Amino acid sequence: MNIKSLLLGSAAALIAVSGARAADAVTVAEPEPAEYVKICDVYGAGYFYIPGTETCLRIGGYVRYDIAGGDIGSFDGAKNVDHQDGSIQDTWKKNARFSLRTWTGQETELGTLKTYTETRFNFGNRNATASVVRGVVTDNPAVNKGVTLNFAWIQLGGLRVGKDESAFDTFIGYAGNVINDTLVPYGDFDTNVVQYYFDAGNGFSAVASLEEGSGTVGTIDSYVPHVVGGVKYT
């Protein structure tokens, strides 16, 4: 073997080693495409599919600010105790509200399954009368009034169960088109329901509702529910 043959053999060995390393190179997998939220237009505007499900979700709400004075609600208006001399005097009734709402919809073998919730957060004073009795002051401060669950129902077809407002109010359209529907109380609202609503599609509709009621007086005290029924043609 001469020097020339040795050099050629070394060059061939280097090429072979380089080729082997190239063959062993790691191939990086391409990332999977991101799954973006898909729009759902089956139940109206604003819905989107919850990723990984066939359920459509809509999230909404509102912010409201009320200012009232004079003879409102209870006819004598909001009052408070004067911080200087302790006298009772009229004041503004104010309330700030944030309402969070959710809607869902999904098609099942038994029909359309829907849910609706509304939770309200309120801050302000009350439409109440302050008083001073034997030196004890009952004032009317602006405070966080707590969180209220106004709606939380599940509906399959015409059958609805959960937290709703009484069919005594909802079926007749509440108090109608009036500016202030609190001047004359016309019924309780909050209640759990087991309710069926029928709409013939030609203006005729009917409702049957089994209700729990609310409050000390309104809540049922046995297995017998409040029963509300109605029919109408519009």
Side-chain angles (χ1 to χ4, degrees):
M1 178 182 295
N2 54 30
I3 299 300
K4 183 177 181 180
S5 299
L6 180 61
L7 292 175
L8 290 174
S10 299
L14 289 173
I15 294 173
V17 171
S18 299
R21 289 184 177 178
D24 294 338
V26 177
T27 302
V28 179
E30 295 183 1
E32 296 182 0
E35 183 179 353
Y36 296 101
V37 174
K38 298 179 180 179
I39 300 299
C40 172
D41 56 4
V42 179
Y43 308 105
Y47 285 86
F48 60 90
Y49 285 101
I50 299 175
T53 73
E54 295 297 322
T55 301
C56 298
L57 171 65
R58 175 185 170 193
I59 301 174
Y62 65 88
V63 175
R64 190 175 83 183
Y65 187 59
D66 299 330
I67 303 176
D71 295 338
I72 53 175
S74 62
F75 297 105
D76 55 4
K79 299 181 183 298
N80 208 349
V81 178
D82 189 283
H83 298 305
Q84 299 297 324
D85 59 19
S87 62
I88 306 299
Q89 56 189 17
D90 296 337
T91 187
W92 297 101
K93 176 186 179 295
K94 296 185 178 183
N95 188 72
R97 173 185 294 173
F98 166 60
S99 177
L100 176 63
R101 295 172 170 176
T102 67
W103 300 259
T104 68
Q106 181 179 356
E107 296 304 311
T108 71
E109 296 179 354
L110 300 177
T112 302
L113 179 64
K114 294 183 177 181
T115 70
Y116 174 66
T117 70
E118 180 176 348
T119 306
R120 296 177 183 175
F121 306 81
N122 292 280
F123 176 86
N125 62 344
R126 302 179 186 276
N127 185 54
T129 300
S131 63
V132 180
V133 179
R134 296 179 181 178
V136 178
V137 177
T138 303
D139 57 0
N140 186 18
V143 295
N144 279 304
K145 299 178 182 179
V147 180
T148 60
L149 181 64
N150 291 72
F151 298 93
W153 50 254
I154 304 168
Q155 182 169 319
L156 180 62
L159 178 64
R160 177 180 296 183
V161 297
K163 170 65 170 60
D164 199 359
E165 293 183 337
S166 174
F168 184 85
D169 304 303
T170 60
F171 190 67
I172 61 174
Y174 297 92
N177 296 322
V178 296
I179 296 176
N180 191 341
D181 62 2
T182 62
L183 291 176
V184 180
Y186 57 92
D188 292 330
F189 293 92
D190 294 332
T191 182
N192 285 317
V193 303
V194 177
Q195 181 182 106
Y196 189 82
Y197 179 82
F198 172 76
D199 188 349
N202 58 1
F204 176 81
S205 58
V207 66
S209 184
L210 306 180
E211 303 181 353
E212 181 184 23
S214 62
T216 303
V217 177
T219 305
I220 59 174
D221 55 5
S222 68
Y223 285 112
V224 181
H226 301 303
V227 180
V228 179
V231 294
K232 66 181 177 181
Y233 182 82
T234 56

